């Protein structure tokens, strides 16, 4: 009998603080696990590098783009954040995705990214110093908030000269 999992425990407070037990359970199911239809909106979850890479490269799969959302939840357009998010490259399929990706690839060349190394080192040094300050008294520090989430946008800001 196939085991069914739910993503809800991962989204709970405990799951966000320590997701590794959930990940271990998920990985014990193999690279793809069936989700609980009573608790989750999707049928399957793919995890692990090889499985996710295969899904991302397979043209049979796509993102939940505006067309998909219009068919199921037309009221999504009433929410400015969703309109912005679904208009981004992260939620674009087909030729639109290819067009935007081509533009990005012209900016994110290996030479340009290598030239950003001093700025990236400076950003990371500043963030690590901030982590040390925040944790100096022995209290907890939220690594995601203070480092992992802002770093990519800060690097892109450096790239764009913002």
């Amino acid at each position: 009998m196939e085991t069914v999992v739910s993503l809800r425990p991962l989204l709970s407070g405990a799951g966000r603080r320590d997701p590794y037990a959930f990940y271990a359970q998920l990985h014990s199911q193999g690279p793809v696990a069936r989700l609980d239809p009573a608790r989750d909106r999707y049928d399957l979850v793919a995890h692990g590098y090889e499985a996710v890479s295969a899904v991302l490269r397979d043209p049979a799969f796509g993102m939940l783009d505006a067309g998909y959302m219009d068919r199921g939840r037309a009221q999504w357009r009433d929410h400015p954040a969703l309109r912005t998010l679904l208009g981004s490259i992260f939620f674009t399929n087909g030729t639109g995705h290819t067009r935007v990706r081509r533009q990005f690839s012209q900016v994110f060349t290996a030479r340009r990214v290598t030239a950003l190394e001093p700025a990236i080192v400076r950003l990371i040094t500043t963030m690590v110093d901030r982590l040390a300050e925040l944790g100096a008294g022995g209290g907890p520090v939220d690594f995601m908030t203070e480092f992992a989430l802002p770093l990519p946008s800060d690097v892109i800001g450096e790239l764009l000269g913002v």
Side-chain angles (χ1 to χ4, degrees):
M1 180 176 179
E2 183 178 47
T3 303
V4 176
V5 298
S6 175
L7 297 178
R8 291 218 176 156
L10 183 62
L11 302 176
S12 71
R16 287 174 192 240
R17 281 187 299 280
D18 183 12
Y20 300 106
F22 180 83
Y23 294 155
Q25 175 199 2
L26 201 56
H27 283 281
S28 74
Q29 306 299 314
V32 177
R34 183 160 304 282
L35 294 175
D36 182 350
R39 300 178 72 194
D40 297 292
R41 294 183 47 203
Y42 306 104
D43 295 325
L44 302 168
V45 61
H47 51 87
Y49 179 83
E50 291 83 12
V52 172
S53 180
V55 168
L56 290 173
R57 296 175 193 286
D58 189 329
F61 293 94
M63 291 302 303
L64 301 179
D65 60 8
Y68 177 87
M69 293 297 282
D70 284 339
R71 288 190 297 277
R73 297 177 167 236
Q75 71 273 18
W76 73 270
R77 291 187 180 273
D78 296 335
H79 303 280
L82 287 176
R83 284 196 316 268
T84 300
L85 186 63
L86 286 165
S88 73
I89 188 174
F90 303 111
F91 290 89
T92 306
N93 290 306
T95 58
H97 180 82
T98 302
R99 179 183 51 77
V100 174
R101 188 169 177 187
R102 189 174 303 121
Q103 291 171 338
F104 271 94
S105 69
Q106 292 170 0
V107 175
F108 286 98
T109 64
R111 178 178 290 161
R112 180 67 177 115
V113 172
T114 300
L116 282 174
E117 184 176 353
I120 294 170
V121 169
R122 179 180 42 78
L123 288 168
I124 290 172
T125 300
T126 300
M127 289 178 168
V128 168
D129 289 347
R130 170 115 172 107
L131 289 172
E133 281 177 33
L134 293 171
V141 178
D142 188 335
F143 180 79
M144 295 300 291
T145 299
E146 298 297 331
F147 189 91
L149 294 174
L151 182 61
S153 60
D154 289 355
V155 170
I156 290 170
E158 286 287 333
L159 178 71
L160 300 174
V162 177

